[in-house]
């Protein structure tokens, strides 16, 4: 069995360098706390594992052949991205209220209360997971790109698992680096900049969600 690992890793790195919904989820979570970014990245890769297993077992081909199944996944993914965008905009609004209105309690109680419940690593993991599980483009990547690097003289299932594991491993390292960089940048910006980032990321989520829903 001979697999073009160099070419495959080049394609995988290029795919990660092109920002997508998972990039937005990880970057937004890391801007809050690096630990949240790492959790979101691991969640995104766990979602890819679902697509990898489906591709290896042939389920992705069945789903891709069904226009109804593809449309349902696409619309569900688009709706989830819009939901994340609306929530980001609401968080930015709460942050603005918390920083502009004086608190009757302690000096730092206002922003914390205005921001609502603090997101946990479990929340971030789930966001990353759902973003990739409901992303039909992730499924199509495993269905259309991976087979191009498979040696047809060997076991396709085994090779798809191998390539999929490499893809997931590269992604884990990529998201960990992104979370670390975003965490360092976070310390350089004040509350106003972080609020603007929430606004920008919110509208980007909505725009990507609308774009996913509009694709055929």
């Amino acid at each position: 069995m001979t697999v073009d690992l160099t070419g495959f890793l080049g394609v995988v790195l290029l795919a990660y360098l092109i920002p997508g919904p998972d990039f937005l989820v990880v970057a937004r979570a890391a801007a809050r706390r690096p630990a949240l970014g790492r959790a979101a990245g691991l969640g995104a890769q766990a979602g890819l594992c679902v697509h990898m297993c489906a591709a290896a077992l042939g389920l992705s081909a069945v789903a891709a052949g069904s226009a109804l199944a593809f449309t349902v996944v696409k619309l569900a993914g688009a709706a989830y991205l819009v939901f994340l965008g609306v929530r980001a905009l609401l968080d930015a609004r709460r942050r603005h209220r918390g920083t502009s209105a004086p608190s009757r309690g302690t000096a730092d109680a206002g922003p914390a209360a205005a921001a609502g419940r603090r997101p946990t690593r479990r929340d971030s993991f789930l966001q990353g997971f759902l973003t990739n599980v409901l992303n039909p483009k992730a499924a199509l990547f495993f269905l259309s790109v991976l087979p191009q690097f498979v040696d047809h003289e060997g076991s396709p299932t085994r090779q798809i698992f191998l390539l999929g594991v490499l893809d997931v491993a590269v992604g884990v390292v990529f998201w960990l680096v992104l979370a670390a960089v975003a965490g360092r940048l976070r310390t350089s910006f004040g509350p106003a900049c972080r609020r603007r980032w929430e606004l920008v990321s919110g509208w980007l989520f909505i725009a990507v969600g609308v774009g996913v829903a509009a694709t055929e």
Side-chain angles (χ1 to χ4, degrees):
M1 181 181 70
T2 58
V3 179
D4 183 11
L5 293 181
T6 301
F8 174 72
L9 290 176
V11 171
V12 168
L13 284 174
L14 181 62
Y16 280 110
L17 289 173
I18 299 175
D22 47 3
F23 186 95
L24 286 176
V25 169
V26 176
R28 178 172 178 258
R32 289 172 172 251
R33 293 203 309 275
L36 298 182
R38 292 192 292 269
L42 292 177
Q45 298 313 98
L48 285 185
C49 287
V50 174
H51 292 299
M52 175 185 68
C53 293
L57 297 175
L59 299 178
S60 291
V62 175
S66 171
L68 177 61
F70 183 82
T71 301
V72 169
V73 173
K74 180 183 72 172
L75 294 180
Y80 185 67
L81 291 174
V82 172
F83 165 76
L84 291 180
V86 171
R87 195 161 78 169
L89 295 177
L90 293 177
D91 286 344
R93 185 178 180 182
R94 294 190 193 99
R95 284 176 180 269
H96 177 66
R97 288 180 176 178
T99 54
S100 61
S103 174
R104 294 184 180 181
T106 58
D108 58 350
R117 183 178 69 85
R118 287 171 61 86
T120 64
R121 282 176 287 188
R122 180 180 178 182
D123 296 332
S124 297
F125 181 92
L126 185 61
Q127 286 184 9
F129 179 77
L130 291 176
T131 297
N132 267 351
V133 164
L134 297 176
N135 185 2
K137 292 184 178 180
L140 291 177
F141 177 85
F142 279 91
L143 186 63
S144 60
V145 176
L146 261 66
Q148 298 181 28
F149 297 91
V150 169
D151 180 6
H152 297 287
E153 295 182 359
S155 170
T157 300
R158 180 183 175 187
Q159 293 178 72
I160 287 176
F161 269 119
L162 171 63
L163 295 175
V165 168
L166 287 175
D167 185 348
V168 172
V170 170
V172 168
V173 175
F174 182 82
W175 298 134
L176 291 179
V177 172
L178 176 63
V181 172
R184 287 186 176 274
L185 292 176
R186 173 179 177 271
T187 60
S188 304
F189 300 110
C193 289
R194 289 197 289 270
R195 175 179 170 270
R196 292 191 189 98
W197 167 242
E198 289 285 346
L199 288 172
V200 170
S201 61
W203 286 115
L204 284 175
F205 274 124
I206 294 174
V208 172
V210 172
V212 168
T215 57
E216 299 182 358

